[in-house]
Amino acid sequence: MAMYRDIVILLPMFVCLLWAIALYSDYKRGDYARLSLAIFMTVSFFLYFSHAVYFYGDLELYAILDPLYTFSSLAVYPLFYVYVRMISKDVTLEPSVVFTLFPSLFFGLALALIYSMLEPLELDAIMGQYHYRNNIAYTYSILGKIAIATVKASRIVFILQIVPFIYYCRRDIIAYNRLIGEFYSSVEGRDLTWVRIITTVFLLTAVFSLVAGFLGRSFFNQEDYLVFIPSLLFSTMLFSIGFLGFRQRFTIRDYRKELNVKESHREPGINLQDKTREKIKGELLILFEEKEYFRKTDLRITDVSAVLGTNRSYISSIVNVDYDSTFSDFVNKYRVEYAKKLLLDKRNHVLDYIAEESGFASVNSLLRAFKKETALTPGQFRSSEKSKIAD
């Protein structure tokens, strides 16, 4: 039973350590997104290391680590936001974003300074009464009261920062996904839908943290199975962030680099003034409906603008305004229609062949786009259509 408790208590800490090491090992110069995620995992490691010390009941050691715990707990949301910015918005680290770490640094350093000035007996009383919820009668000094007020203030700041950071994370991710969808026909491996899902999980874990804070960590120390709940929840979330973040190779940095190359080497075309909007729209439809240009794998909007002799912004405007769509969805509608024809072919083509012939980068891309357009899987569509023919 003791080994089970050890595993439960230490699991989140070692999950963070695993991904911190993996991300630092894989870091390449200039890859600030990977570095920021590695730092997030490192700070999370110290947070759960402090948790572990707390649950082991080492009051004296925890008194030393409590400032580190305070810093870490206040820093995780800002650091995750920095990571989201580095994959979705910023190429270099903006100083204004670093300032979001000010509250965590302030409270962490303030507590470290105050604790160092307290008498050991008073510090033990604060740890026992306000962290372990022991029934202790103690008359605190002014400095002791300041320490208690600082701890309480840090908890309030933790609560207040949750919603803004999650809101800004989701806002930047949505804007990034829209940007990517306007440039690439295939967003697989490029979009950040997984991060948006993680921010929702983050919100749920934040609510759990607030409930846990109200109950007190001492509540989870009563029974071994109670420790299992937060351990499993946070370990799963952190492992998902580490695993998916490690796999996320494409960032805003890659998009801007490719965009600059494409635009600086774009073939000279006809000025917008030389063609009417309707004419370009007509040529776009010919390119897709007659020439089946959508079958080109990993098609980019710059490929289309180069063929039509105009700029990507004008093509994007036509797709957005006239078809109320992103470039990715516009292309995939044609691909899905082409896939439907192949699905109904008497030769019963396999999905790999259908995906490749339709222009999809993979079978998974075909499945996602097909489900989005028809609310059916390719197999369900094929069976449904064949049933209609049989009837």
Side-chain angles (χ1 to χ4, degrees):
M1 200 66 179
M3 182 178 291
Y4 159 78
R5 179 178 169 81
D6 289 340
I7 293 172
V8 168
I9 290 174
L10 297 175
L11 185 59
M13 182 182 79
F14 282 113
V15 167
C16 294
L17 181 62
L18 165 69
W19 288 116
I21 293 172
L23 289 161
Y24 282 125
S25 301
D26 194 56
Y27 169 72
K28 293 178 178 59
R29 187 176 179 181
D31 190 354
Y32 296 112
R34 195 154 291 251
L35 179 61
S36 60
L37 184 58
I39 293 172
F40 166 81
M41 285 296 174
T42 302
V43 172
S44 297
F45 165 79
F46 287 117
L47 172 64
Y48 290 102
F49 174 71
S50 303
H51 265 303
V53 171
Y54 174 88
F55 283 114
Y56 279 119
D58 192 332
L59 190 146
E60 191 173 328
L61 179 57
Y62 185 76
I64 298 172
L65 291 176
D66 188 47
L68 178 63
Y69 167 78
T70 300
F71 163 77
S72 303
S73 63
L74 289 173
V76 287
Y77 283 97
L79 285 173
F80 188 75
Y81 174 60
V82 170
Y83 169 63
V84 170
R85 289 276 300 235
M86 295 312 303
I87 55 177
S88 67
K89 192 173 184 178
D90 300 332
V91 175
T92 58
L93 193 62
E94 297 293 329
S96 58
V97 178
V98 179
F99 286 138
T100 60
L101 292 170
F102 175 77
S104 58
L105 290 168
F106 172 79
F107 282 103
L109 291 173
L111 277 180
L113 179 62
I114 295 169
Y115 284 177
S116 68
M117 298 167 66
L118 288 172
E119 293 293 330
L121 189 62
E122 187 170 24
L123 181 57
D124 288 345
I126 291 173
M127 290 298 111
Q129 184 174 358
Y130 287 93
H131 291 287
Y132 284 89
R133 302 287 179 94
N134 296 329
N135 190 13
I136 297 173
Y138 190 91
T139 303
Y140 294 103
S141 66
I142 294 176
L143 192 60
K145 291 177 181 179
I146 292 173
I148 294 166
T150 304
V151 170
K152 290 181 177 179
S154 70
R155 303 298 184 261
I156 293 171
V157 171
F158 173 79
I159 295 169
L160 293 177
Q161 72 176 1
I162 292 171
V163 173
F165 278 119
I166 290 178
Y167 167 77
Y168 285 117
C169 282
R170 292 180 67 84
R171 183 198 64 179
D172 290 347
I173 293 162
I174 291 170
Y176 167 88
N177 281 346
R178 177 81 184 184
L179 189 69
I180 295 301
E182 294 291 0
F183 190 82
Y184 300 96
S185 63
S186 175
V187 297
E188 185 177 1
R190 298 185 177 108
D191 73 329
L192 299 177
T193 302
W194 70 268
V195 185
R196 191 168 60 180
I197 295 170
I198 286 293
T199 57
T200 303
V201 177
F202 240 138
L203 182 60
L204 295 175
T205 54
V207 172
F208 181 86
S209 296
L210 295 179
V211 174
F214 175 77
L215 295 172
R217 283 180 291 177
S218 56
F219 171 81
F220 296 93
N221 223 4
Q222 295 175 21
E223 299 289 343
D224 288 345
Y225 74 88
L226 290 175
V227 183
F228 177 79
I229 298 170
S231 175
L232 181 62
L233 180 65
F234 291 117
S235 296
T236 302
M237 181 189 70
L238 290 163
F239 185 86
S240 300
I241 292 173
F243 175 73
L244 295 170
F246 188 83
R247 293 182 60 190
Q248 184 72 39
R249 297 289 174 175
F250 191 91
T251 69
I252 191 68
R253 186 166 174 256
D254 299 293
Y255 164 76
R256 289 183 179 172
K257 187 186 297 182
E258 185 171 354
L259 187 63
N260 289 336
V261 170
K262 290 284 182 181
E263 293 195 329
S264 62
H265 292 86
R266 185 173 61 83
E267 294 179 10
I270 303 171
N271 293 329
L272 293 179
Q273 294 84 351
D274 299 330
K275 287 191 174 184
T276 64
R277 185 184 187 89
E278 287 301 316
K279 186 175 182 182
I280 295 180
K281 181 179 175 182
E283 291 178 347
L284 178 64
L285 292 178
I286 291 172
L287 188 66
F288 276 74
E289 293 177 0
E290 296 182 14
K291 298 182 179 180
E292 298 181 343
Y293 200 59
F294 59 85
R295 294 179 62 192
K296 180 179 178 180
T297 305
D298 203 20
L299 180 67
R300 291 157 167 77
I301 198 169
T302 45
D303 299 328
V304 175
S305 62
V307 171
L308 297 184
T310 186
N311 62 58
R312 67 179 181 85
S313 298
Y314 204 62
I315 299 297
S316 182
S317 174
I318 291 173
V319 171
N320 295 163
V321 177
D322 293 25
Y323 295 99
D324 190 25
S325 177
T326 63
F327 178 70
S328 176
D329 288 342
F330 178 78
V331 174
N332 284 336
K333 282 181 181 179
Y334 282 97
R335 288 174 173 171
V336 168
E337 289 303 314
Y338 192 83
K340 285 180 182 179
K341 295 176 184 177
L342 294 179
L343 283 166
L344 298 179
D345 193 293
K346 294 180 180 179
R347 286 171 286 184
N348 285 326
H349 300 296
V350 295
L351 289 182
D352 290 283
Y353 175 83
I354 293 172
E356 183 178 352
E357 288 297 305
S358 303
F360 289 105
S362 67
V363 172
N364 286 334
S365 295
L366 164 64
L367 294 174
R368 278 195 294 270
F370 205 95
K371 186 81 173 178
K372 184 176 181 178
E373 286 296 315
T374 66
L376 298 171
T377 66
Q380 290 169 339
F381 171 80
R382 178 183 269 166
S383 299
S384 174
E385 292 301 312
K386 286 186 176 180
S387 297
K388 290 177 184 178
I389 294 171
D391 292 340

